[in-house]
Amino acid sequence: MAKYTVAVAGATGYAGGEALRILAAHPDFEVTCVAGHSSVGDRLGKHMPHIPQLADLTVEDTTPEVLNGHDVIILALPHGASGRLAAQLDPDAVVVDLGADHRLEEKSAWDDFYGGDFYEHWTYGMPELITGKDAHGDYTRQRAALPGVKRIAGPGCNVTATTLAIQPAVAEGLVERTDLVADLVVGYSGAGKNLKRTNLLAAEALGSALPYGVGGTHRHIPEILQNLAHAAGEPASAASEFTLGFTPVLAPMSRGILATVSARMTDKAAAMSDEEIRAVWTRAYEDQDFMVLLPEGTLPATGNIIGSNAAHIQVVTDRRAGRIIAFAAIDNLNRGTAGQAVQSLNIALGLPEDQGLTKIGVAP
């Protein structure tokens, strides 16, 4: 079978570069076009020397004329840019937006956290997201919405870690909706490939940790709440029933997110044993290949998932505080961005879901 041709816009950024790294080793995709902005005319190898197979591609301008004509188009662009471009792209191509423009379902949420033009919601690309239960009480998943779709919205990386950590508790009513707290340790690549105050020079970043997007301002918050509403089997409009204290902290590492998500137990959870609570996570993830619920007593570490599409998950209870604490460690560029996008692409195109992806991390 002929390979699907792929164009990647934003190819010299971190997210675009990770997409290229995965696609270069994928047996069913061939990257035939890379586009950028400030790097137009450069050989890709100048910016991505770690992907020698694609080094001789020339970075082209990010225009519809350049991107159209390919089977798959991946947009790794700042918010606003992909939304403006998307309407001009080939309707028969499968387009994946790694940015924020097509993630949110409610315009009010977009207005509160982003502002500017609100773009059409695309099919959300988190296959393991719980979306409710069927008539038999089994979980339904976002995976079921992906086969055959032409437009996919890639989730945010912090969103992915937070959602995967706590969604089993939300789905089973084990935590209070208005008492959710998420503290995330985030590698610097999560802040993008640019020099700004949240992306310090090495001399300033090494040996230091820096919070950002604090005080309820981080743009991933409405997307997390949207996911939790769906995990509870409710529409996006029910996101307003949840509150989330969300604090990401940049740490001196290139990649990785460790999410620690806690919430007060409901009476239902308080009446359950620790084993019964853990069994909720076991049930939620036992048939989800990339979700790794660690053995009891083993906590996730970012060093174990780098380079992989896996999420390492753990749950504990704090009976003194009356809280459930859930953890998730992911590679923000792979599971949190490009790997999850390729996983969703595989499903959309009828390929094996794990094609070109791995659960194996790079350690040390």
Side-chain angles (χ1 to χ4, degrees), residues 182-343:
D183 296 311
L184 280 71
V185 179
V186 183
Y188 268 81
S189 60
K193 192 175 183 180
N194 51 66
L195 284 174
K196 55 187 178 184
R197 192 60 201 165
T198 54
N199 238 13
L200 305 175
L201 298 173
E204 300 175 53
L206 295 177
S208 182
L210 176 69
Y212 69 103
V214 301
T217 63
H218 197 286
R219 286 169 167 167
H220 284 177
I221 291 173
E223 187 184 345
I224 296 168
L225 300 184
Q226 175 177 283
N227 286 354
L228 297 184
H230 290 319
E234 299 175 13
S237 57
S240 60
E241 298 178 12
F242 294 82
T243 60
L244 175 67
F246 183 83
T247 305
V249 178
L250 287 171
M253 55 188 189
S254 297
R255 291 176 178 239
I257 296 175
L258 177 63
T260 302
V261 190
S262 74
R264 184 167 297 280
M265 295 179 183
T266 59
D267 291 342
K268 176 182 178 180
M272 297 167 66
S273 67
D274 290 358
E275 292 75 17
E276 289 171 326
I277 289 174
R278 179 178 172 81
V280 170
W281 271 256
T282 300
R283 178 189 173 209
Y285 292 132
E286 61 187 350
D287 57 349
Q288 306 299 306
D289 191 49
F290 288 111
M291 304 294 101
V292 180
L293 180 62
L294 298 175
E296 190 172 356
T298 302
L299 294 175
T302 58
N304 296 328
I305 46 73
I306 299 305
S308 86
N309 193 48
H312 284 193
I313 295 167
Q314 187 57 278
V315 59
V316 301
T317 55
D318 184 340
R319 296 287 176 176
R320 291 186 177 87
R323 301 184 75 80
I324 289 175
I325 307 170
F327 304 88
I330 66 169
D331 182 329
N332 55 293
L333 293 178
N334 197 312
R335 175 74 234 185
T337 308
Q340 191 162 222
V342 171
Q343 182 184 351

Side-chain angles (χ1 to χ4, degrees), residues 47-65:
H47 302 274
M48 300 288 160
H50 61 295
I51 315 175
Q53 304 96 308
L54 306 178
D56 290 332
L57 289 175
T58 299
V59 180
E60 301 181 66
D61 198 8
T62 308
T63 66
E65 293 75 20

Side-chain angles (χ1 to χ4, degrees), residues 8-90:
V8 178
T12 58
Y14 289 143
E18 183 71 355
L20 291 171
R21 185 182 74 85
I22 295 169
L23 292 167
H26 195 296
D28 297 297
F29 294 119
E30 180 182 4
V31 177
T32 49
C33 172
V34 291
H37 179 61
S38 58
S39 52
V40 171
D42 291 349
R43 288 178 66 253
L44 183 66
K46 175 182 177 181
H47 302 274
M48 300 288 160
H50 61 295
I51 315 175
Q53 304 96 308
L54 306 178
D56 290 332
L57 289 175
T58 299
V59 180
E60 301 181 66
D61 198 8
T62 308
T63 66
E65 293 75 20
V66 166
L67 300 175
N68 284 334
H70 300 86
D71 300 317
V72 174
I73 301 170
I74 295 178
L75 304 176
L77 303 171
H79 81 268
S82 56
R84 291 191 296 269
L85 184 62
Q88 304 172 69
L89 297 180
D90 182 354

